[in-house]
Amino acid sequence: MAHEYDLGVQSVVYQDFSLAELLDELDDVDVDELELWDYHLSPDDDAETVEAGLDRIEDSSVSVCGYGVIDLDDTGQAREHFGFADRLGAGYVTVNYPPDRDDITEELVALGNEFELDVGIHNYSSVHHDDLSQVFSTIDDVRGVFDRYDEERLGLCVDTGHFLVEEVDPEDVLRELGGRVNSVHLKDTSEAEIEDFPGAGKLDLSTVFDLLDEHVDLDAPVVVEYELPAERASDALREAVVNARAAME
């Protein structure tokens, strides 16, 4: 059975590039959507930089589907990011914060409703965080928040690679939490690279797309993500797109 999902890329793939440089790179890659990381354009940038960035995106081959990952450790930090995501025309924001901070969850729900943006809780792993109590890294971490907050706009951004690193099977995540998944970061892990492009390692892409069809009502594009050396960024993205499209057939 063929699957139909738009493909995007997280701009962290091009973490060593400027916004203009990464948009130039994407002219030659078969993706139409971009989840924008605040390193490349941020509400903290001056007005001239923001206007130039928005114009450059408008003239590019991609549209902004989402914004993040926004790292939060207290209330009062998220509003400017939601306003900026709205200005970008994003449909969702991805967020990272301590799972036990219900005050942050409540603020995110309120902002999601105010700006009409979906909120995707993004899972992490020991790749980037020494203290996993401060991030969502297990199914139980995510389920706990969802049990307390049954909110339409509050969902999960499944980062398949980070779950794999923590030996959490992304397939189990999709089966158990699929009804709350609103965004996907398609990432792999392999013997060669702890963060690799989809199809290069352990991730079973065909099964992931099967489970998305079966358990998830996904409006957002499936977003490819990895962190590889800059000289490999675009070639790896082309391979990832080929792998993903083949798995959708």
Side-chain angles (χ1 to χ4, degrees), residues 6-221:
D6 293 331
L7 290 179
V9 60
Q10 227 290 344
S11 72
V12 73
V13 165
Y14 291 99
Q15 60 187 299
D16 297 316
F17 293 66
S18 69
L19 176 63
E21 289 169 340
L22 82 84
L23 292 172
D24 285 342
E25 291 289 313
L26 293 180
D27 281 342
D28 298 322
V29 181
D30 186 20
V31 295
D32 299 318
E33 305 283 349
L34 177 69
E35 183 180 316
L36 189 65
W37 178 38
D38 64 3
Y39 170 83
H40 289 115
L41 197 63
S42 162
D44 294 331
D45 291 329
D46 61 72
E48 183 177 353
T49 299
V50 170
E51 288 297 333
L54 293 173
D55 288 344
R56 184 65 185 81
I57 292 169
E58 180 68 25
D59 292 338
S60 75
S61 61
V62 294
S63 300
V64 173
C65 60
Y67 185 71
V69 177
I70 303 166
D71 292 313
L72 306 168
D73 57 25
D74 205 352
T75 56
Q77 299 173 346
R79 172 170 287 278
E80 65 175 357
H81 294 287
F82 276 71
F84 194 62
D86 183 52
R87 188 176 179 187
L88 288 163
Y92 65 90
V93 295
T94 51
V95 295
N96 165 50
Y97 65 99
D100 63 354
R101 289 294 302 268
D102 285 353
D103 54 343
I104 297 177
T105 302
E106 290 168 7
E107 181 178 60
L108 291 172
V109 169
L111 289 170
N113 289 330
E114 177 182 344
F115 287 97
E116 298 184 346
L117 289 165
D118 288 340
V119 180
I121 294 172
H122 184 278
N123 61 290
Y124 271 110
S125 68
S126 54
V127 173
H128 296 301
H129 294 272
D130 293 329
D131 184 0
L132 291 182
S133 71
Q134 298 304 296
V135 297
F136 293 82
S137 64
T138 69
I139 291 175
D140 285 343
D141 287 340
V142 182
R143 185 188 286 115
V145 170
F146 290 164
D147 285 347
R148 297 193 297 277
Y149 296 92
D150 185 14
E151 300 285 344
E152 183 178 0
R153 289 201 173 274
L154 181 67
L156 173 63
C157 174
V158 177
D159 186 300
T160 57
H162 282 303
F163 274 131
L164 286 170
V165 168
E166 292 306 312
E167 298 185 353
V168 178
D169 192 335
E171 297 174 17
D172 291 338
V173 177
L174 294 173
R175 289 189 184 96
E176 296 187 35
L177 300 175
R180 298 296 295 271
V181 171
N182 60 18
S183 44
V184 175
H185 286 177
L186 204 61
K187 183 191 294 179
D188 215 335
T189 187
S190 70
E191 291 185 6
E193 299 284 353
I194 195 165
E195 291 201 8
D196 217 331
F197 65 89
K202 296 180 180 179
L203 191 65
D204 184 337
L205 288 171
S206 294
T207 300
V208 166
F209 284 113
D210 285 342
L211 292 171
L212 286 175
D213 275 0
E214 185 176 354
H215 297 284
V216 182
D217 184 14
L218 189 65
D219 290 329

Side-chain angles (χ1 to χ4, degrees), residues 13-14 16-17 25 226 228-238:
V13 165
Y14 291 99
D16 297 316
F17 293 66
E25 291 289 313
Y226 48 83
L228 294 173
E231 62 272 15
R232 295 183 57 199
S234 290
D235 286 342
L237 183 55
R238 292 186 187 93

